[in-house]
Amino acid sequence: MIRLRDIERYYRNGLRKAWVLNQINLDIKEGEFVTVMGPSGAGKSTLLNIIGMLEEPSGGEYFFFDEPVHKFNERRRSDLHKAYMGFVFQAYHLIDDLTVYENIETPLLYRNVKGKERKSMVAEILDRFNIVAKKGLFPEQLSGGQQQLVGVARAVISKPRLLLADEPTGNLHTKQGDQIMELFQELNEEGVTIIQVTHSERNASFGTRVIELVDGNVRSDEQIRQPAGQGDAPKGVPNGK
Amino acid sequence: MIGNYLKVAARNLLKYRLYSGINVLGLTLGLSLVLMILLYLQFEYSYDSWHAQKERLYRVSILSHGEDAEGEETHVFTPPIGPDMQAEFPEVQAYTRFSTEQPAYLSYKEEALQVDEIHYADTSFFTLFNFQWLSGDAETALARPNTVVLTVPLARRLFGSEDPMGKLVFLDNQQQFEVTGLTAAPPANSHLQFEALLSFSTLYQDSERYMGWNGGNQYITYLLLAENIIPTQLEEKLPTFMWRHINEDLKPYGVQLEARLQPLPDIHLWHDPDSTALRTRLLAFGGIGLLILIIAGVNFVNLATARASWRAREVGVRKVLGASRGALIRQFMGEALLLVLIATGLAFLFTEAFAPVYGKLIGKTFVPSGIFDAQTALALIGVLVMVSLLAGWYPAFFVSRLQAVKALKGGATGKNKQGLRNALLVIQFAISAGLIACTLVIFQQLQYTLHKRLGFEQEGIVVLPLVGKEVQSKQAALKQELLSIQGVEGVAALSEVPGQGLTRNGYIPEGHKESLLFHAIDVDENFLDVFGLELARGRFFGRARPADEQAVLINESLARQLNWAEPIGKKIIRNGEHPVIGVAKDFHFASLHHSIGPLIITQQPWNGRYHRLALKARTGNWERTLSDIRSRWEAVLPQAPFDFQFLDASIAQQYENERRFQEAFLCFSILSILIALMGVLGLSALAIQQRTKEVGIRKVMGASAANIIALFSKGFLRMVGIAMGIGFPLAWYFMQRWLQGYAYSNGIDWWVFPLAGALTLLVAFLTVALRAIGVATKNPVEALRYE
C-alpha cells in the first residue's frame, strides 16, 4: 500500500540543513496496524504527515498503491488523501462551532455525499460509537475521551482504507486510551490499515508492527503479531489502484 | 453544505459578539451612508429625465461675443427665435417658450396670493413636456389669450374646495384669466418649476411688451427636434440664421450672438447658474461615499484577517477532513456575503428611517423606495458585490492557502499579514484625518463668507417686495407712510437688492464705440444712507434735483476698468447720455463666489417703477415695528398681501446650499471617522485579547497600568501619525481647489491641520485606551489563568 524510498525532510537553518527525516525506506502493506515510536523530535509526526499527504518531503519517492505521490500536484494529492485517508489527532481538533453530529458529518460534505445517505451513515456511526445521546452537544461540553471518540468517528465515517493517528491517546487517561485502542483494533480487523504515532508501549501492544525512529532514522522495525486477515486471501483489494 | 456553512457562520457571529457587532454595525452605517449618497446622486442625475421626449428636447442658449472677448452664456432671450427656427428648419418639429419668473398677485374673490413662480408659456408646453395633467385639455389649455393653468397646491390655496376650472382670476388686480387646466406641482427633479402658467398669446396683446428680435430678453425657448436629428448638424446652420435675424444689425455695436442647443437632461448638471457648484458637491459626495465604502470595507477585511488566525485551526481541520481550497474560499466568501446581506438589510431600514432627517440636511425630499429604479439598483448590486469581494477575498484566499499542518499548530499569524492590516489601518486614518481637515476648512470658509464685511449695511434692513404695477405705482405714498413709523431711519426704493447679484445691461461709455456689459441698479436718493454706502469721490443723487434724473454713479471697479482717473463729468450712453456724478466705493453686490464687477447706479428704473422698498430701522422691538409696517402697508394697499424679508437673512440664504453642504459634509466625515474607530476598537480588542498573557507577565514584572496602555496605544498612534502625513496633503490639495470656487477666501488657516491632527490623535487614543484600561487594571493572575 505504501512504499517510501529515501524519503528525507529537512529545514534550512541559514546555510545548514536541519534534518528531520533521513533517507527513510519503508513498506507498509494493507491491513497492517503500525505503531511509530521514538523520543520527541525523532520525526514521527513528520513521517505521519508525509504519509498523510499533509506535508511534502524534501526528497525521495512515495508510492501509494503504486502511484507516484511525489510527482503529484497538490490537487491530486488532496484527492488521494480525501479518497483513502482518515486522521486522528492528539488534540482531537474538533470544530468548536459544530455539534458532535455536524463534526462527524463534515467529511461527508466534502465528499459530496447525498443528504439522505449522509444521515444514515452518521446515525450508524453514532450508534456504533455509543454517542447517540451526545450528538447535539458541542465539543467543549464533552470530556477528552468523548471528544477523541468523536474524533475517531469523524475520521472513519468516510470509510478510509488508511487511518493515521498522531498520539491519539496523548491527552487521555489510560482507561479512555484503552477504549480508543480497542476501537482501533476492531477497525483494523475490519480491514482498515492503521498507522499511529505514540510514546506508549501499552498502545503499541495493540498493533501488529512497531517501528522505532531516532533522529530521523529507522532504528528498528519489528513485527509483533500477524496482521489480521493476513492469512486469508485479500478480499478483492486492488493491488494497483 | 451551504447549511453547514451558514450554521458555522451564524454561530461564529453570535460567539464573537463584539467582533460581529462592529463588523455588521460598521458596514450597516457605511452602507446606509452610501445608500443616502446614492439617493442624493440619483436625485440630481434624474433631473428632467422623466420627459418622454427628453432625447429630442433642447434649450436654446445664446453666447454673446462682445468687445470683452469672453461672452456670457444665457438662455434668456427674445421671443421670436423659436417660431423663426421652426419656420426655417424642418429639423425643428416644435418649440415652446417660457418666460422668466416675475412675481405677481393672483386673486379670486377675497383671496389674493403672491405667486413667485408664475410664467407665460406656449400652448405646446404640455405636449413637449410631460407634466402630470389633472384637469382640462393639455393641448389647448394655453391656446387662447388670458387663460391660465394652475398647479393643484396653488389652486387649493386660491379656491379652497371650489372647483377652479372655468373660473376667472385676476393678475395683479388688472387682467382677467380663465382657469383652463390643472396640473400636479412639478416634481422636485425638474429644472422647470411653476405654480401658474399664463398663455403666451396674452403677451402679444400687451402693447407695452416688446416681442421682436432685438430686446426684451425675458424668454427661454425649448425646441423639440424631429426624430433622428443630430443636434450639431442643426447647430452648424445657426450662424447664418442668426446673422439674418440679428447679428447683421448688431454688427455696428461689435456684438455677435451665437445660438447653441443644450440637451434637456444636461441642463441641471451643466447649464444652470449653480451647476458648477453642484458638480463640485456631487463629486465631493460621491468621493465621500467611496471613501466611506473603503473605510467600512477595510474594517471588514482587517477584523476578518485579524481573527483568521483564530480560525486557522478550523481551516486546518477542514483541510484534513478533505476540504479543497475552493470549498474554503466559498465558505469564507459566503460568510462575508452573509454579513454584507445582514448589513444591507439593516442599512435599508436605517436609510428608510433616517430619510426625512437626511432630506432636511440636504434640502430635498427623498423617497427611499425610489432608489429601486434599474440604474440605482444596478449600482447598488455592484457596490454590494464589491464589498463582499473586498471583504471576503483576503481571508478567503489567504487563510485557505495555509498548510493544514501549520494551521493546526496555530502558527498562522504571520508578520506580513500584520503589515497589510497596518497599511489598511493607515489608509483608514488617512481618510479620516483628511476628512476632518476638509470639514474644518469648509467650516472656516463658510464663517468667513457669512461674516465678511460686504461694504454695506445688512443688519436692521427690511426689504418689502413691490409686486405688480398697481403696488409699484403707490411706492411713493407707501414710503411716506413708512417713514412716520417710530424707529425707522430711512426708506429707499430700488430695483434689486444688493448682496444677491444684479442684472447686467449694455452701455457705451465715453470714448468707446461699442457697448459693454455692466451691472446696474436703479435706486432713489435714499439708497446711500439706508445701505450705509460710502463714496470715493463726487456726490450722490440729490433730493429734489430734477437735473440728476439722467445722472449716474459708477463703482470703483468700473472706473478702474475704463481707466478713468477722473470719472466725474464723463458720459455713459444708453437711451441718452448720462453724466457720472460720483464714484461709490466697491461693495459686494453679489455673493462672494464672484469678484466685484463693474456697476452703474441710476435713478431711472425700468418702466419708471421700482420693485422693492428697503427700510432701515433702529428698534428694540422688531415685532412691534413689523406690525407697524404691516398696518401702514395695509392702509395704503388694502388689496395686496404683505410680505417682507430681512436683508441679512436673505443674503445668508444664498449660502444655504453651502451651509447644507457643510453640514452634510460634517455629518459624513464624523460618521466615517466613527466607522474607522469601530475598526480600531475591534482590532485593539483582538490585539489585547491575544496579548492577555503578555500583559499578565509584564504586570507581574512591575509594569503599571499606564505602561500597559502605552504599550497598546503606541503602535496605533504611530500609524495615525503616518496617516496624517498622507491625509493632510491630500486634504490641503482638494481644499485649495475648492476654495478657488470663491472669489474671496481667507485661504486655509494655519490652525486647521494641527487641530485636525490633535482631534484625530485624541479619538484614536481614547478608543484604544478605553479597551486597554480594562486589561491594564486587571489582576495579573487572572490574566495568566486565561491560558
Side-chain angles (χ1 to χ4, degrees):
Chain A
M1 182 185 216
I2 291 166
R3 194 161 84 236
L4 302 181
R5 289 290 172 267
D6 299 331
I7 287 291
E8 48 182 32
R9 180 81 173 118
Y10 52 80
Y11 298 99
R12 283 194 187 280
N13 193 354
L15 287 175
R16 293 171 51 197
K17 290 174 179 174
W19 296 90
V20 181
L21 290 178
N22 206 352
Q23 313 269 314
I24 301 285
N25 288 293
L26 206 58
D27 289 271
I28 294 170
K29 287 193 218 41
E30 186 147 35
E32 285 194 280
F33 183 170
V34 181
T35 305
V36 181
M37 298 190 73
S40 293
K44 306 182 299 284
S45 293
T46 307
L47 180 64
L48 199 72
N49 287 339
I50 287 175
I51 292 173
M53 297 170 200
L54 297 177
E55 225 177 313
E56 276 183 83
S58 311
E61 298 176 330
Y62 172 13
F63 297 92
F64 186 77
F65 282 128
D66 291 333
E67 301 240 32
V69 177
H70 52 278
K71 289 182 183 157
F72 287 180
N73 62 15
E74 199 196 321
R75 158 156 242 133
R76 285 191 70 183
R77 277 205 308 275
S78 147
D79 284 347
L80 271 184
H81 168 96
K82 200 152 72 172
Y84 291 105
M85 299 179 191
F87 240 93
V88 177
F89 302 95
Q90 176 177 5
Y92 329 129
H93 285 329
L94 301 178
I95 296 175
D96 296 335
D97 297 323
L98 296 181
T99 61
V100 166
Y101 183 97
E102 288 155 2
N103 261 292
I104 295 175
E105 184 190 27
T106 302
L108 300 180
L109 294 174
Y110 289 123
R111 284 161 180 81
N112 297 322
V113 178
K114 293 270 169 313
K116 219 173 177 183
E117 197 185 343
R118 211 161 64 212
K119 243 182 199 160
S120 72
M121 284 169 83
V122 178
E124 188 191 318
I125 213 136
L126 283 170
D127 189 36
R128 174 173 176 185
F129 282 40
N130 262 326
I131 45 178
V132 178
K134 308 265 188 286
K135 70 176 179 182
L137 299 181
F138 286 94
E140 59 186 17
Q141 295 167 296
L142 301 176
S143 73
Q146 288 166 337
Q147 286 194 46
Q148 193 58 301
L149 216 52
V150 176
V152 176
R154 188 180 61 178
V156 300
I157 182 118
S158 58
K159 304 213 172 6
R161 302 263 286 273
L162 175 62
L163 184 65
L164 300 163
D166 193 352
E167 309 238 19
T169 62
N171 287 4
L172 302 179
H173 306 302
T174 317
K175 208 177 137 203
Q176 290 170 329
D178 284 353
Q179 200 187 347
I180 297 292
M181 280 303 117
E182 279 157 20
L183 196 57
F184 274 20
Q185 220 163 27
E186 211 179 296
L187 288 166
N188 182 238
E189 276 157 18
E190 288 166 18
V192 179
T193 311
I194 298 178
I195 306 175
Q196 68 166 346
V197 165
T198 184
H199 283 290
S200 149
E201 296 279 352
R202 188 186 172 90
N203 285 354
S205 68
F206 286 89
T208 62
R209 177 179 170 189
V210 177
I211 296 170
E212 200 183 354
L213 275 187
V214 174
D215 291 339
N217 294 299
V218 177
R219 178 194 274 181
S220 67
D221 184 351
E222 80 183 289
Q223 179 145 5
I224 56 173
R225 189 183 308 154
Q226 186 71 2
Q230 192 74 354
D232 311 339
K235 295 174 240 167
V237 174
N239 215 7
K241 278 243 162 181
Chain B
M1 190 71 113
I2 286 170
N4 185 281
Y5 290 162
L6 279 179
K7 253 184 285 184
V8 176
R11 284 178 195 152
N12 244 303
L13 285 181
L14 292 175
K15 197 159 160 192
Y16 303 98
R17 286 208 185 82
L18 177 74
Y19 162 82
S20 16
I22 286 175
N23 241 348
V24 171
L25 204 68
L27 208 57
T28 301
L29 208 55
L31 283 176
S32 315
L33 293 179
V34 171
L35 270 177
M36 290 185 191
I37 287 172
L38 270 180
L39 217 53
Y40 171 65
L41 294 186
Q42 183 213 22
F43 176 81
E44 297 290 359
Y45 277 97
S46 71
Y47 261 73
D48 304 317
S49 61
W50 40 273
H51 294 293
Q53 308 179 93
K54 61 169 189 263
E55 307 292 343
R56 290 160 58 204
L57 283 165
Y58 293 84
R59 185 170 75 177
V60 178
S61 85
I62 301 292
L63 188 67
S64 65
H65 302 281
E67 194 181 73
D68 47 342
E70 249 173 286
E72 184 112 324
E73 187 162 10
T74 175
H75 50 270
V76 181
F77 197 56
T78 54
I81 189 167
D84 284 347
M85 278 177 125
Q86 192 197 21
E88 293 177 35
F89 300 117
E91 292 95 330
V92 178
Q93 186 177 320
Y95 70 90
T96 192
R97 291 165 295 182
F98 189 73
S99 69
T100 49
E101 82 265 18
Q102 200 73 250
Y105 294 121
L106 280 186
S107 46
Y108 175 71
K109 290 184 183 164
E110 298 301 299
E111 194 69 46
L113 295 172
Q114 184 187 329
V115 184
D116 290 328
E117 293 283 358
I118 187 161
H119 306 261
Y120 290 92
D122 278 304
T123 184
S124 50
F125 187 80
F126 289 106
T127 47
L128 263 62
F129 300 114
N130 298 88
F131 291 97
Q132 198 190 343
W133 195 260
L134 297 174
S135 187
D137 181 4
E139 274 173 43
T140 59
L142 291 175
R144 283 181 292 122
N146 293 75
T147 51
V148 62
V149 170
L150 301 178
T151 56
V152 167
L154 178 66
R156 204 160 289 149
R157 272 163 63 210
L158 203 55
F159 290 93
S161 54
E162 263 185 76
D163 178 14
M165 289 298 290
K167 300 268 164 45
L168 295 174
V169 293
F170 276 95
L171 178 72
D172 290 337
N173 267 333
Q174 289 170 331
Q175 277 176 291
Q176 260 190 336
F177 285 82
E178 184 194 341
V179 179
T180 51
L182 283 177
T183 71
N189 56 353
S190 166
H191 88 279
L192 285 165
Q193 290 294 332
F194 58 87
E195 292 174 274
L197 291 180
L198 309 163
S199 61
F200 205 88
S201 46
T202 318
L203 290 173
Y204 285 96
Q205 303 188 325
D206 184 348
S207 55
E208 244 184 65
R209 298 272 176 174
Y210 184 77
M211 303 302 281
W213 262 92
N214 193 3
N217 297 13
Q218 287 185 44
Y219 309 100
I220 307 165
T221 302
Y222 296 87
L223 303 178
L224 176 68
L225 298 192
E227 277 178 71
N228 303 321
I229 297 296
I230 299 165
T232 47
Q233 286 177 352
L234 178 60
E235 268 178 333
E236 279 167 21
K237 300 182 187 170
L238 293 179
T240 50
F241 170 82
M242 292 299 283
W243 175 258
R244 268 200 316 278
H245 288 284
I246 185 152
N247 280 342
E248 192 170 8
D249 298 336
L250 287 178
K251 190 96 205 294
Y253 302 99
V255 180
Q256 291 290 288
L257 303 180
E258 180 193 344
R260 296 178 174 184
L261 301 178
Q262 299 171 338
L264 184 71
D266 287 358
I267 289 175
H268 178 64
L269 286 176
W270 294 95
H271 305 298
D272 253 6
D274 196 30
S275 287
T276 318
L278 173 69
R279 287 200 307 276
T280 311
R281 271 202 299 281
L282 293 184
L283 223 60
F285 281 124
I288 292 184
L290 201 66
L291 292 180
I292 288 174
L293 207 58
I294 292 175
I295 291 182
V298 162
N299 265 358
F300 210 101
V301 174
N302 264 352
L303 287 171
T305 49
R307 232 177 45 86
S309 55
W310 293 45
R311 293 185 66 182
R313 208 177 62 92
E314 181 191 330
V315 171
V317 174
R318 283 186 184 275
K319 278 202 146 181
V320 172
L321 295 182
S324 64
R325 257 193 90 188
L328 287 168
I329 289 174
R330 278 197 296 281
Q331 183 185 350
F332 277 91
M333 284 288 202
E335 280 183 27
L337 193 69
L338 181 72
L339 275 183
V340 170
L341 283 179
I342 293 174
T344 310
L346 288 174
F348 268 109
L349 294 178
F350 199 78
T351 311
E352 184 84 41
F354 279 87
V357 181
Y358 176 62
K360 233 181 228 162
L361 189 69
I362 298 284
K364 313 267 182 207
T365 319
F366 290 114
V367 188
S369 42
I371 201 153
F372 290 111
D373 76 357
Q375 225 179 352
T376 324
L378 216 66
L380 194 67
I381 289 171
V383 164
L384 290 183
V385 168
M386 209 173 77
V387 172
S388 305
L389 287 180
L390 208 75
W393 76 270
Y394 188 82
F397 282 88
F398 285 75
V399 176
S400 70
R401 213 171 56 182
L402 289 176
Q403 267 196 8
V405 178
K406 279 195 193 145
L408 285 176
K409 283 180 193 150
T413 34
K415 273 267 178 254
N416 52 338
K417 213 182 303 168
Q418 193 80 40
L420 177 92
R421 211 180 301 154
N422 288 347
L424 290 176
L425 209 63
V426 165
I427 292 176
Q428 262 188 335
F429 267 102
I431 294 173
S432 302
L435 284 178
I436 293 182
C438 291
T439 310
L440 288 176
V441 174
I442 292 172
F443 179 75
Q444 174 212 329
Q445 175 63 21
L446 196 67
Q447 288 305 307
Y448 173 83
T449 319
L450 290 177
H451 295 120
K452 180 172 168 54
R453 290 185 51 82
L454 298 179
F456 61 89
E457 288 284 337
Q458 302 178 59
E459 267 166 60
I461 294 183
V462 177
V463 176
L464 308 174
L466 306 176
V467 176
K469 258 186 230 172
E470 192 196 359
V471 174
Q472 287 158 3
S473 62
K474 294 207 174 141
Q475 173 259 118
L478 185 61
K479 199 169 144 182
Q480 257 353 92
E481 278 293 316
L482 292 174
L483 274 171
S484 66
I485 298 172
Q486 200 192 350
V488 171
E489 296 183 335
V491 181
L494 57 165
S495 59
E496 283 179 285
V497 183
Q500 299 167 65
L502 301 172
T503 42
R504 307 201 313 171
N505 285 320
Y507 296 89
I508 305 177
E510 194 177 310
H512 288 252
K513 273 185 230 122
E514 288 139 8
S515 86
L516 300 174
L517 280 175
F518 304 140
H519 295 275
I521 184 169
D522 314 314
V523 303
D524 69 5
E525 72 276 2
N526 302 106
F527 176 67
L528 194 74
D529 293 335
V530 168
F531 284 85
L533 290 169
E534 289 173 34
L535 291 183
R537 47 175 68 222
R539 62 178 181 84
F540 199 67
F541 306 120
R543 197 176 303 266
R545 277 175 82 153
D548 279 358
E549 204 167 281
Q550 294 296 322
V552 297
L553 282 90
I554 61 176
N555 70 350
E556 292 171 310
S557 294
L558 180 51
R560 259 199 310 280
Q561 185 184 333
L562 296 172
N563 269 325
W564 284 355
E566 183 43 80
I568 310 293
K570 300 258 189 194
K571 304 244 174 354
I572 291 176
I573 298 150
R574 177 185 168 95
N575 303 332
E577 281 191 359
H578 307 282
V580 176
I581 58 167
V583 179
K585 284 196 172 167
D586 275 343
F587 60 98
H588 292 275
F589 53 81
S591 89
L592 293 180
H593 283 289
H594 308 280
S595 38
I596 297 175
L599 175 71
I600 286 186
I601 304 171
T602 86
Q603 224 183 161
Q604 290 184 307
W606 184 59
N607 280 349
R609 295 190 300 265
Y610 292 106
H611 286 85
R612 282 163 186 84
L613 281 181
L615 171 153
K616 178 163 178 59
R618 200 177 296 275
T619 169
N621 186 351
W622 271 109
E623 213 170 312
R624 169 97 192 268
T625 309
L626 284 173
S627 86
D628 284 347
I629 296 173
R630 183 186 196 117
S631 61
R632 303 297 156 100
W633 172 284
E634 281 165 356
V636 181
L637 300 159
Q639 302 285 327
F642 173 71
D643 187 28
F644 72 94
Q645 288 142 15
F646 282 104
L647 181 63
D648 49 0
S650 57
I651 287 180
Q653 179 70 29
Q654 63 186 330
Y655 300 110
E656 185 63 13
N657 272 336
E658 269 132 310
R659 199 184 52 73
R660 288 217 178 95
F661 173 65
Q662 180 215 332
E663 275 176 11
F665 202 94
L666 186 70
C667 278
F668 285 140
S669 55
I670 287 176
L671 287 173
S672 68
I673 291 157
L674 209 67
I675 300 173
L677 287 179
M678 285 164 89
V680 174
L681 184 73
L683 277 186
S684 59
L686 280 172
I688 288 163
Q689 218 163 332
Q690 276 166 335
R691 291 165 76 176
T692 305
K693 187 178 165 194
E694 180 191 337
V695 170
I697 295 168
R698 279 175 189 274
K699 286 203 77 177
V700 169
M701 298 195 312
S704 69
N707 292 147
I708 302 295
I709 293 170
L711 174 75
F712 285 113
S713 313
K714 225 166 46 194
F716 279 112
L717 294 187
R718 193 174 48 228
M719 280 185 278
V720 174
I722 299 171
M724 289 192 291
I726 300 168
F728 285 164
L730 289 173
W732 182 83
Y733 171 75
F734 283 116
M735 282 300 104
Q736 205 66 33
R737 288 195 53 179
W738 180 73
L739 285 177
Q740 280 167 11
Y742 287 87
Y744 299 91
S745 89
N746 244 359
I748 297 172
D749 277 338
W750 64 269
W751 48 262
V752 164
F753 291 108
L755 181 61
L759 282 175
T760 319
L761 278 175
L762 185 73
V763 287
F765 173 73
L766 284 179
T767 314
V768 178
L770 280 179
R771 201 70 204 169
I773 286 170
V775 196
T777 53
K778 224 191 267 169
N779 183 351
V781 181
E782 230 171 286
L784 289 175
R785 208 188 293 143
Y786 258 102
E787 262 298 281

